[in-house]
């Protein structure tokens, strides 16, 4: 177990090591010349503005929507609760495709922010809604009895309690913004990730692309630090026993209509438009766009890679989470941190690192399914880890100890007693990894074995060749496959907030 | 009882994961006992940077004719050329097909190309292959200025591609500088006009032009009137016209002619890797592509690229190659590395 954990930790350090090694190999003067140039400044401006505008927008929409749904007497709030989370089932590049195919002039920062906000606000909304539903109303009632008005209660009592959930959601949004390729490339908005991809197309793994990657990695690290600061370390747990009252819901009164209209508008642009456009292309294409063998094979390969990725990530998560639950300490913390940092890296950086390392060190695994699956594991391990750790933490240690007292070896006791208890949690984590693999584009483009085409890569090829009708079935399949996983995530976050 | 079945499930998950990991460790390598003979049991791997549909048509016809199976890996010109260079002698590729010649020259300069085979060399006239004889042309495409017929009068079209650097074109034209197609055009400019003129032109492009993901999106933008004109290759327009025409109905094609860098005709190449263990089958493939049967696919298919071998004429809809007055450029000397460096310098990449 320990050896496995250390191995995974070491693997996690490959991309970071690559960026550092490449910067050294490039040589100081060249590196500076490639990093300090107008183009990088331009990309930095685009990327920073994108983050600085999109993240607050997602926070306002996510928290505002969550509050309306969970804490007000909004009509049909159960329907809205699901509708607000649903856009997460539409991958950002599918969303961009649907808008761009109707408004071809979409380009630049404004549209980039628009699409990114629509695609990513659920990452804030889902944890915020789950937390709001679980807050103890007693605190708010005390605040109100001490003379605070409803607005002050919200900002001084409710919002601070959302801090962890919202900071986590905001970080996810930020990291997605840094690593998104397809959506921004489609609308001619240049970020570091799209520029690295262009350098890769033009020079394979030339030093200019590698230097862009090192700047991007630095941006990721800055973001992780900001989030750790924003999370703070205050305690939010209730002391003592006592059951929690149901939260009170505020009356909306005259605000009911604007609230309903606002939510309706959001649902139309985030959900209605993409679905309507895809429907239009499907109708226009008719039956013949479904009759290609490519579609079936891409679906098969997507499912296969998703399954492999999910199983491998879950298998890799076992030793790490077991270590974290049973032997919490500096080692497990640092291993986890190593992977956490790596998984925050954009897929393109990880893929570049793997291409270079594999070609120079282990040519045999270059372009093998194994390498691609390892990349998926490193990218998506946290999804499996978080679920599994919660599952393992809830499996009483005493049961395992009883098994050992009855003569089982430690490993056997773990496999026979603890593992089965954690199985449902593992399945949840595996499903989330599966979803992530399904919509992964950049690492798959760079690392997949010859002849591989997944739903995501096929969709990308067709839509970038402006073959909108032929791309539509792929878009639809990705959404249909994502929908149940999104629902699962929605349910899971409700459970997680209760712990 | 319940615990037991759950335990089994848990173990099964772990076991399948372990199995899955160990089973998918090896990449599919081309196999075939009759490797040296090029017999029907052979399989070759083609690194394909040409349009997927076109190569697929070649591959299907070739397999039907010879029984030799083909694995395709698809990518872009430069990306694949660099990949082959880095893979070196271990490359799984047997054949490399490009859209433009600079990528092929990059592989040739790394000393990795074997012989394309005497049959392929005989099929393709001297004008469409390098003097070195290390690869052969398989198709050709012409540079054009695609312009919006409702926004630009024919009289106002630029005399030369170099004129797009003028401030009068600011914000009015576009291209896809990240693509190998555009980079090939720049490499011809580099050979004809020299480094400083080319760098100046690229810097002006950074100021004047809107950049697009691909030739087809650039043409679509011209059609929608977002820009007045775009530098692309001719066949995108013909392909769209043959399809629905919805992305090209307002677009006219303007040929610079006059030996201008903008009249550059780019040769798509085919080469056999020296490291290939299936030399015979690989050469057979190139022989087929350049044969009358292979070239007729260009004449009658939906690619609208120019045939270059076995005396096959172009699709009658196209302006014949002989009338394009292309500049004389030696494809063996087109330098893709220098082009991407200059483009990086100009801030386009």
């Amino acid at each position: 177990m320990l050896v496995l954990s250390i191995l995974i930790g070491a693997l996690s350090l490959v991309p970071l090591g690559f960026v550092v090694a490449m910067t050294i190999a490039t040589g100081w003067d060249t590196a500076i010349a490639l990093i300090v140039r107008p183009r990088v400044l331009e990309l930095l401006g685009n990327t920073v503005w994108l983050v600085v505008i999109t993240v607050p927008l997602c926070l306002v929409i996510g928290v505002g929507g969550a509050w309306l749904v969970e804490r007000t007497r909004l009509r049909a709030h159960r329907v809205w609760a699901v509708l607000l989370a649903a856009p997460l089932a539409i991958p950002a590049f599918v969303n961009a495709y649907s808008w761009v195919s109707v408004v071809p002039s979409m380009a630049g920062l404004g549209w980039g922010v628009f699409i990114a906000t629509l695609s990513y606000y659920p990452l804030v909304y889902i944890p915020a809604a789950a937390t709001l539903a679980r807050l103890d109303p007693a605190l708010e009632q005390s605040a109100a009895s001490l003379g605070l008005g409803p607005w002050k209660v919200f900002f001084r009592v409710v919002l601070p309690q959302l801090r962890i959930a919202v900071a986590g959601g905001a970080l996810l949004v930020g990291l997605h913004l840094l690593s998104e390729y397809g959506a921004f490339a489609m609308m001619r908005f240049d970020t570091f990730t799209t520029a690295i991809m262009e350098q890769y197309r033009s020079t394979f793994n030339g030093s200019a692309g590698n230097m862009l990657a090192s700047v991007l990695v630095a941006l990721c690290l800055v973001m992780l630090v900001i989030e750790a600061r924003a999370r703070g370390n205050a305690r939010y747990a209730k002391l003592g026993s006592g059951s929690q009252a149901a939260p009170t819901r505020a009356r909306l009164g005259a605000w009911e209509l604007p609230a309903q209209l606002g939510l309706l508008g959001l649902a139309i642009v985030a959900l209605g438009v993409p679905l309507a456009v895809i429907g239009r292309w499907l109708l226009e294409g008719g039956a013949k766009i479904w009759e290609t063998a490519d579609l079936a094979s891409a679906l098969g390969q997507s499912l296969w890679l998703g399954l492999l990725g999910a199983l491998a990530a879950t298998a890799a998560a076992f030793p790490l989470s077991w270590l974290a639950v049973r032997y919490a300490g500096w080692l497990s913390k640092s291993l986890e941190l190593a992977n956490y940092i790596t998984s925050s890296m954009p897929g393109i950086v990880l893929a570049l690192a793997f291409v270079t390392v594999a070609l120079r060190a282990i040519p045999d695994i270059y372009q093998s399914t194994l390498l691609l699956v390892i990349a998926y594991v490193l990218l998506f391990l946290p999804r499996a880890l978080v679920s599994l750790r919660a599952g393992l933490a809830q499996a009483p240690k005493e049961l395992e100890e009883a098994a050992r007292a009855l003569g089982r070896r430690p490993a056997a006791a773990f496999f026979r007693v603890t593992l089965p208890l954690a199985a449902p949690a593992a399945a949840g984590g595996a499903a989330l990894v599966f979803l992530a693999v399904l919509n992964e584009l950049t690492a798959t483009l760079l690392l997949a074995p010859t002849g591989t085409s997944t739903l995501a890569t096929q969709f990308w090829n067709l839509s970038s060749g402006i073959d909108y009708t032929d791309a539509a079935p792929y878009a639809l399949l990705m959404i249909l496959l994502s929908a149940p996983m999104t629902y699962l995530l929605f349910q899971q976050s409700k459970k997680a907030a209760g712990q | 009882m319940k615990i037991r079945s759950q335990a089994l499930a848990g173990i099964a998950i772990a076991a399948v994961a372990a199995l899955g990991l160990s089973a998918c460790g090896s990449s599919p390598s081309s196999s075939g006992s009759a490797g040296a003979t090029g017999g029907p049991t052979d399989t070759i791997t083609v690194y394909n940077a040409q349009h997927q549909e076109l190569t697929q048509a070649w591959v299907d016809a070739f397999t039907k004719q010879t029984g030799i199976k083909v694995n395709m890996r698809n990518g872009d010109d430069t990306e694949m050329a660099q990949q082959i260079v880095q893979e070196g002698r271990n490359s799984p590729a047997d054949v490399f097909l490009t859209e433009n010649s600079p990528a092929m020259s990059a592989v040739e300069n790394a000393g990795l190309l074997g012989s394309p085979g005497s049959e392929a060399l005989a099929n393709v006239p001297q004008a469409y292959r390098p003097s070195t004889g290390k690869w052969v042309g398989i198709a050709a495409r012409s540079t054009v200025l695609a312009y919006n017929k409702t926004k630009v009068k024919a009289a106002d079209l630029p005399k030369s591609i170099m004129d797009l650097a003028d401030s009068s074109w600011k914000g009015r034209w576009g291209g896809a500088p990240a693509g190998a197609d555009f980079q090939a055009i720049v490499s011809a400019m580099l050979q004809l006009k020299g480094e400083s003129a080319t760098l100046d032109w690229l810097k002006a492009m950074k100021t004047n032009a809107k950049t697009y993901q691909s030739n087809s999106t650039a043409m679509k933008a011209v059609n929608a009137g977002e820009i007045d004109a775009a530098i692309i290759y001719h066949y995108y327009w013909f392909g769209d016209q043959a399809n629905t025409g919805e992305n090209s109905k307002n677009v006219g094609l303007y040929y610079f002619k006059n030996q201008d860098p903008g009249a550059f005709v780019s040769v798509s190449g085919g080469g056999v890797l020296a490291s290939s263990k299936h030399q015979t089958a690989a050469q057979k493939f190139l022989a087929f592509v350049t044969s009358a049967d292979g070239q007729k696919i260009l004449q009658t298919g939906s690619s609208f690229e120019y045939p270059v071998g076995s005396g096959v004429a172009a699709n009658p809809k196209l302006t014949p190659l002989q009338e394009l007055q292309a500049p004389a450029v030696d494809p063996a000397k087109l330098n893709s590395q220098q082009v991407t460096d200059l483009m990086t310098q100009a801030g386009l990449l």
Side-chain angles (χ1 to χ4, degrees):
Chain A
M1 282 293 194
L2 191 64
V3 175
L4 276 175
S5 309
I6 290 173
L7 185 74
I8 294 161
L11 261 180
S12 295
L13 293 174
V14 166
L16 261 183
F18 158 81
V19 168
V20 175
M22 276 299 142
T23 313
I24 293 167
T26 304
W28 192 242
D29 295 344
T30 320
I32 291 295
L34 285 170
I35 289 174
V36 187
R37 58 186 183 112
R39 170 71 169 166
V40 176
L41 203 64
E42 181 190 348
L43 295 172
L44 196 64
N46 278 356
T47 310
V48 170
W49 277 117
L50 175 76
V51 172
V52 168
I53 301 171
T54 309
V55 171
L57 269 177
C58 286
L59 286 177
V60 170
I61 295 176
V63 175
W67 185 76
L68 277 174
V69 165
E70 295 294 340
R71 306 304 295 275
T72 68
R73 299 187 183 181
L74 182 80
R75 290 204 179 94
H77 63 82
R78 283 199 182 80
V79 178
W80 286 121
V82 176
L83 278 183
L84 279 176
L88 200 59
I90 304 177
F93 64 144
V94 172
N95 199 350
Y97 146 86
S98 65
W99 280 91
V100 165
S101 67
V102 179
V103 191
S105 59
M106 281 179 83
L109 179 65
W111 283 109
V113 167
F114 176 76
I115 291 290
T117 306
L118 294 185
S119 295
Y120 296 134
Y121 82 83
L123 294 171
V124 175
Y125 161 79
I126 290 176
T131 313
L132 273 174
R134 297 263 174 184
L135 287 187
D136 189 349
L139 282 174
E140 290 153 65
Q141 284 151 4
S142 321
S145 70
L146 291 169
L148 287 185
W151 282 106
K152 282 197 169 148
V153 170
F154 179 76
F155 280 102
R156 289 181 53 184
V157 180
V158 178
L159 215 47
Q161 296 185 79
L162 290 178
R163 193 163 152 177
I164 295 182
V166 164
L171 174 72
L172 275 181
V173 173
L175 293 176
H176 273 282
L177 293 175
L178 291 187
S179 61
E180 178 60 45
Y181 166 66
F184 297 142
M186 248 178 235
M187 59 176 60
R188 306 199 304 109
F189 177 60
D190 294 339
T191 65
F192 275 102
T193 294
T194 63
I196 293 171
M197 200 70 179
E198 293 195 335
Q199 278 284 357
Y200 175 83
R201 278 174 59 193
S202 310
T203 61
F204 197 53
N205 55 357
S207 39
N210 288 336
M211 290 308 98
L212 291 179
S214 62
V215 179
L216 182 55
V217 164
L219 284 179
C220 278
L221 295 177
V222 168
M223 213 174 260
L224 293 179
V225 171
I226 292 177
E227 193 265 346
R229 285 275 167 89
R231 206 180 338 148
N233 45 12
R235 290 187 55 231
Y236 297 102
K238 231 175 27 170
L239 283 178
S241 60
S243 66
Q244 182 174 316
T248 45
R249 288 179 174 269
R251 286 172 199 279
L252 281 170
W255 288 100
E256 173 84 28
L257 187 64
Q260 291 280 2
L261 286 177
L263 291 177
L264 184 66
L266 181 64
I268 287 174
V269 288
L271 209 59
V273 170
L275 292 178
V277 171
I278 292 168
R280 181 196 134 180
W281 292 121
L282 286 171
L283 282 177
E284 202 157 296
K288 71 173 195 313
I289 51 173
W290 294 93
E291 288 163 5
T292 53
D294 297 349
L295 190 65
S297 106
L299 175 64
Q301 290 184 336
S302 273
L303 292 175
W304 171 238
L305 285 175
L307 188 72
L308 284 179
L311 286 174
T314 309
F318 265 110
L320 281 177
S321 52
W322 180 75
L323 209 61
V325 171
R326 293 281 185 270
Y327 300 97
W330 64 269
L331 179 68
S332 80
K333 279 222 166 49
S334 48
L335 288 177
E336 209 170 307
L337 184 69
N339 173 258
Y340 176 65
I341 291 174
T342 299
S343 65
S344 339
M345 305 270 154
I348 185 93
V349 175
L350 195 95
L352 267 182
F354 272 30
V355 165
T356 310
V357 172
L359 275 172
R360 291 186 191 178
I362 340 171
D364 283 349
I365 65 163
Y366 175 59
Q367 285 185 17
S368 68
T369 309
L370 175 67
L371 192 66
L372 183 60
V373 170
I374 292 176
Y376 287 154
V377 169
L378 291 190
L379 281 171
F380 307 131
L381 189 61
R383 297 167 189 242
L385 207 55
V386 169
S387 314
L388 194 61
R389 211 172 38 200
L392 281 176
Q394 285 172 324
K397 202 157 64 172
E398 291 74 11
L399 288 179
E400 201 178 317
E401 282 164 356
R404 286 178 60 181
L406 291 169
R408 290 265 177 219
R409 293 225 176 99
F414 173 77
F415 275 103
R416 292 292 308 272
V417 178
T418 306
L419 196 61
L421 289 171
L432 293 181
V433 177
F434 181 86
L435 172 65
V437 171
L438 190 76
N439 300 328
E440 210 290 331
L441 181 64
T442 44
T444 312
L445 283 174
L446 266 63
L447 299 172
T450 302
T452 304
S453 64
T454 65
L455 290 175
T457 60
Q458 253 324 70
F459 169 77
W460 176 246
N461 289 337
L462 290 166
S463 56
S464 49
I466 57 172
D467 203 340
Y468 295 141
T469 50
D470 282 337
Y474 293 89
L476 183 69
L477 278 178
M478 277 191 277
I479 294 173
L480 288 179
L481 286 170
S482 304
M485 309 284 169
T486 306
Y487 188 70
L488 183 91
L489 182 77
F490 182 62
Q491 296 295 40
Q492 227 189 11
S493 65
K494 290 212 145 123
K495 275 203 207 94
Q499 283 158 13
Chain B
M1 218 39 237
K2 187 159 185 246
I3 288 273
R4 173 152 308 182
S5 66
Q6 277 193 332
L8 283 175
I11 292 168
I13 289 179
V16 172
L19 271 178
L21 277 179
S22 56
C24 58
S26 60
S27 58
S29 60
S30 46
S31 61
S33 49
T37 62
T41 54
D42 239 348
T43 300
I44 54 170
T45 297
V46 172
Y47 273 26
N48 171 51
Q50 247 293 357
H51 285 259
Q52 231 169 302
E53 298 79 11
L54 172 59
T55 306
Q56 195 63 56
W58 274 329
V59 162
D60 291 344
F62 172 70
T63 304
K64 204 164 148 187
Q65 201 177 77
T66 61
I68 298 171
K69 291 197 176 58
V70 178
N71 262 328
M72 255 165 71
R73 182 180 179 88
N74 296 300
D76 291 341
D77 271 11
T78 330
E79 172 194 334
M80 292 210 124
Q82 291 301 329
Q83 193 173 336
I84 292 174
V85 169
Q86 301 223 3
E87 286 168 353
R89 302 262 152 215
N90 299 321
S91 177
D94 299 302
V95 175
F96 183 32
L97 299 184
T98 65
E99 290 202 349
N100 304 283
S101 57
M104 197 57 92
S105 302
V107 176
E108 181 184 350
N109 295 339
L112 297 171
L113 287 183
S115 165
S118 54
E119 206 175 328
L121 285 166
N123 284 341
V124 182
Q126 194 67 56
Y128 301 111
R129 53 186 167 90
S131 43
T132 55
K134 282 285 183 186
W135 54 270
V136 291
I138 54 173
R141 56 271 298 284
S142 170
T143 312
V144 291
L145 186 72
Y147 65 97
N148 186 304
K149 290 184 290 195
T150 58
K151 294 181 75 180
V152 186
K153 290 195 204 67
D156 300 337
L157 288 165
K159 283 265 176 303
S160 159
I161 194 174
M162 305 312 280
D163 299 345
L164 292 174
D166 295 346
S167 54
S168 61
W169 278 95
K170 194 175 161 70
R172 290 176 55 206
W173 74 281
D181 288 2
F182 194 88
Q183 288 168 10
I185 298 167
V186 178
S187 73
M189 187 186 292
L190 183 63
Q191 196 179 116
L192 296 160
K193 300 276 177 186
E195 182 171 337
S196 70
T198 305
L199 182 59
D200 289 346
W201 189 85
L202 288 170
K203 283 180 175 160
M205 176 178 180
K206 175 73 186 173
T207 322
N208 286 356
K210 290 187 180 169
T211 56
Y212 292 84
Q213 189 66 25
S214 64
N215 283 328
S216 31
T217 39
M219 181 175 74
K220 193 180 158 79
V222 173
N223 189 59
E226 283 168 55
I227 42 176
D228 292 356
I231 290 289
I232 59 171
Y233 282 140
H234 74 281
Y235 61 89
Y236 289 90
W237 185 87
F238 289 98
D240 193 68
Q241 287 284 310
N243 202 352
T244 57
E246 65 177 313
N247 298 310
S248 61
K249 56 180 182 295
N250 306 321
V251 179
L253 292 190
Y254 171 66
Y255 295 88
F256 286 101
K257 298 192 174 171
N258 222 346
Q259 282 74 42
D260 190 74
F264 169 63
V265 169
S266 185
V267 177
S268 307
V272 173
L273 279 293
S275 57
S276 164
K277 295 179 183 63
H278 309 270
Q279 293 286 338
T280 319
Q283 290 178 350
K284 266 191 184 173
F285 180 70
L286 282 190
F288 171 79
V289 167
T290 52
S291 72
D293 285 346
Q295 294 289 295
K296 278 212 177 78
I297 289 174
L298 294 168
Q299 182 189 53
T300 58
S302 57
S303 77
F304 293 98
E305 296 186 46
Y306 287 101
V308 292
S310 303
V312 175
N315 185 309
K317 287 184 181 141
L318 306 185
T319 311
L321 264 179
Q322 301 75 24
E323 292 170 26
L324 295 177
Q325 300 169 12
V329 171
D330 181 0
K333 294 204 175 74
L334 294 178
N335 187 333
S336 52
Q337 175 69 47
Q338 204 184 346
V339 166
T340 47
D341 285 351
L342 289 174
M343 288 176 108
T344 301
Q345 224 175 309
L348 288 162
L349 284 177

